[in-house]
Amino acid sequence: MRDTYHEELDSLSERLVEMTRLSRHAVARATTALLDADLNAAQEVISGDEDINRLDEEIEATAFDLMARQQPVARDLRIIITSLHMAGDLERMGDHAVHIAKIARRRHPDSAIPAELRSTVLEMGHQAELLVIKAGEVVNQRDAETAKEMDSDDDRMDKLRRRLLTRILDPNWRHGVEATMDVTLAGRFYERFGDHAVHVADNLIYMVTGERTRESESEV
């Protein structure tokens, strides 16, 4: 019985790592859709979100079942609760990738991103991938020390978004309201994607150490 119990606990982390893999693929394909007006890539992201949602539901069902049957305490309870929080963040990361893909689909066959901002948006897409890769690694290895680095890693994403906003607020911006809205929304979705990756790391720290970061305490 106890072996099965611990296998079920371990399955929570395995599913979380799989969610990070799917979220990385989603944001990478969403970036391709956005920059290249790739309708197939956009639809792949939108359809693929079902797999991320399914894993979120499986984690929730397993967590509630373990709490009901095993009445876990201390560290085991912490693993279950933080797994629920992390799954929620990863599910929302998938949603943000879908939102980016929908911008691309709406503007097809044109690209939603003006030429002078393509390099910045591409960099935001790469940064989003790096953050979710790191989130997967810290969950898989339960590496609290590396998880503590992710808040500073996310600073790069925030700077890139500010660069976008500076450009569209420039008096020389000539791309109209629709492009302004698309760029603003895309920047926000990438920023929120990164924020949720940091939340995953914060919850991993709590899972391992039992201590909340100041950022995660302020969100409670």
Side-chain angles (χ1 to χ4, degrees):
M1 285 291 291
R2 298 303 293 178
D3 286 345
T4 300
Y5 168 61
H6 285 104
E7 286 174 3
E8 290 176 323
L9 274 180
D10 290 342
S11 77
L12 295 175
S13 291
E14 291 167 3
R15 289 189 178 106
L16 288 169
V17 172
E18 177 64 7
M19 288 182 80
T20 66
R21 187 189 69 79
L22 292 174
S23 295
R24 177 199 177 185
H25 180 73
V27 78
R29 294 297 284 160
T31 302
T32 296
L34 190 64
L35 294 176
D36 297 344
D38 188 330
L39 192 58
N40 289 331
Q43 194 56 50
E44 180 184 337
V45 175
I46 294 164
S47 301
D49 194 48
E50 293 179 5
D51 293 331
I52 297 176
N53 293 341
R54 174 181 51 78
L55 284 166
D56 180 39
E57 291 166 1
E58 288 178 3
I59 288 170
E60 182 177 294
T62 300
F64 289 161
D65 182 64
L66 286 171
M67 287 190 286
R69 289 189 297 105
Q70 303 292 341
Q71 298 182 338
V73 296
R75 182 173 179 273
D76 287 353
L77 181 60
R78 214 164 56 233
I79 290 172
I80 293 170
I81 297 300
T82 52
S83 294
L84 284 169
H85 287 307
M86 287 190 278
D89 278 309
L90 288 162
E91 189 274 334
R92 286 186 284 277
M93 290 164 74
D95 289 344
H96 290 312
V98 167
H99 294 326
I100 293 167
K102 285 182 175 179
I103 294 173
R105 186 176 67 177
R106 185 172 65 249
R107 291 292 300 277
H108 184 268
D110 298 321
S111 173
I113 305 300
E116 68 262 36
L117 292 179
R118 288 176 62 84
S119 63
T120 301
V121 171
L122 180 61
E123 194 171 348
M124 293 183 86
H126 287 164
Q127 189 65 21
E129 287 188 67
L130 291 173
L131 283 163
V132 73
I133 289 169
K134 200 164 189 177
E137 290 171 351
V138 300
V139 171
N140 187 46
Q141 300 169 17
R142 296 193 178 175
D143 184 350
E145 290 306 310
T146 300
K148 292 175 183 177
E149 301 171 2
M150 288 190 60
D151 192 49
S152 60
D153 291 339
D154 189 47
D155 289 344
R156 179 60 182 164
M157 183 72 85
D158 297 336
K159 290 176 182 176
L160 289 167
R161 181 169 183 251
R162 287 195 294 272
R163 185 192 299 173
L164 287 183
L165 295 177
T166 298
R167 186 66 189 89
I168 64 176
L169 291 172
D170 190 295
N172 295 319
W173 177 257
R174 294 291 184 267
H175 296 286
V177 174
E178 188 172 22
T180 300
M181 292 299 297
D182 288 339
V183 171
T184 301
L185 287 172
R188 178 60 173 161
F189 294 141
Y190 280 117
E191 181 191 44
R192 290 301 295 150
F193 187 98
D195 289 343
H196 284 297
V198 173
H199 294 170
V200 170
D202 289 343
N203 276 291
L204 186 282
I205 294 168
Y206 178 64
M207 176 193 287
V208 173
T209 68
E211 298 177 358
R212 285 285 186 190
T213 64
R214 284 180 296 176
E215 289 82 359
S216 56
E217 284 174 352
S218 66
E219 292 158 6
V220 173

